[in-house]
Amino acid sequence: MASKQLPIPAERIEKAILLVRGQKVMLDRDLAVLYGVETRALNQAVKRNRDRFPDDFMFELTRDEIRNISQSVICSSTMKHAKNAYAFTEQGVAMLSSVLHSKRAVEVNIEIMRVFVRLREMMATHKELAFKLIELQERLEGHDEQIQSIFEAIRQLMTPPAPARKRIYPVKFKLAA
């Protein structure tokens, strides 16, 4: 009787998504942990099917990239000393389910794809909100002076007019004789 593994929390997947070369990627090491295989086994499966992983699906990290990632992200000590490491884009992660033939790989890929979609939706929402904020700001920019003149007019209306001075006319008195 096989023990059923618990579903992977989306937060764990989100933390494994990094920004490298301007792209959202997942490292081979993180994917191997999620799939429940050794990194070596994952990379061997990819190498056997290299034609399924063009450069926009997967790329090898440079030594500087590995160093930067190991400094900025809490990761296993094996990352710091790795000779090579591979980064998989969203399309590359999707392709992995076709070369890793296990039920676990399919389940993990489904969860990863859901996280990527959710991140894309969040980014679209943020872009939409930012656009609306800019639009509102542009609409209100010229209104400051108008609003100030309206307040000035209201202040003038609220200020009671100065009481009219009664003009005193000289009265001519006739002297009685």
Side-chain angles (χ1 to χ4, degrees):
M1 191 166 142
S3 64
K4 183 168 170 73
Q5 291 183 323
L6 297 174
I8 297 160
E11 297 81 31
R12 183 172 176 196
I13 296 170
E14 287 174 13
K15 287 179 183 176
I17 297 174
L18 306 173
L19 191 64
V20 178
R21 299 182 194 175
Q23 298 184 68
K24 289 188 292 286
V25 299
M26 294 184 77
L27 301 179
D28 55 358
R29 281 132 183 82
D30 296 328
L31 288 164
V33 170
L34 293 171
Y35 293 132
V37 297
E38 291 182 22
T39 305
R40 178 185 51 80
L42 183 136
N43 288 333
Q44 283 176 346
V46 169
K47 285 178 185 172
R48 282 193 303 268
N49 297 280
R50 188 65 179 112
D51 57 324
R52 293 183 186 213
F53 295 93
D55 292 341
D56 57 331
F57 281 30
M58 178 196 84
F59 53 88
E60 187 171 358
L61 298 175
T62 65
R63 293 296 312 150
D64 285 338
E65 289 169 333
I66 292 171
R67 212 172 297 114
N68 289 338
I69 289 170
S70 66
Q71 288 172 357
S72 64
V73 177
I74 300 171
C75 58
S76 66
S77 60
T78 58
M79 179 69 183
K80 293 175 189 172
H81 307 294
K83 289 181 184 175
N84 56 19
Y86 296 96
F88 292 83
T89 64
E90 182 178 353
Q91 295 84 359
V93 172
M95 189 59 72
L96 278 173
S97 66
S98 69
V99 298
L100 297 174
H101 305 287
S102 73
K103 186 176 180 180
R104 172 86 176 157
V106 172
E107 291 171 356
V108 168
N109 267 36
I110 289 169
E111 289 305 312
I112 292 172
M113 291 302 109
R114 286 179 177 152
V115 169
F116 270 110
V117 167
R118 195 166 44 254
L119 288 174
R120 232 185 346 271
E121 288 171 350
M122 285 176 23
M123 286 179 63
T125 300
H126 289 301
K127 283 181 184 176
E128 197 174 305
L129 287 173
F131 177 75
K132 286 182 180 181
L133 185 62
I134 289 168
E135 194 177 68
L136 181 63
Q137 184 180 5
E138 287 173 353
R139 242 188 290 157
L140 295 177
E141 272 180 359
H143 297 314
D144 285 348
E145 291 175 22
Q146 294 170 345
I147 291 171
Q148 288 301 324
S149 60
I150 290 170
F151 279 125
E152 186 58 37
I154 291 171
R155 276 190 212 102
Q156 287 176 5
L157 290 172
M158 291 174 60
T159 306
R165 292 180 141 189
K166 289 189 178 182
R167 185 166 166 109
I168 302 175
Y169 294 100
V171 179
K172 293 183 183 176
F173 294 101
K174 290 187 183 180
L175 293 170

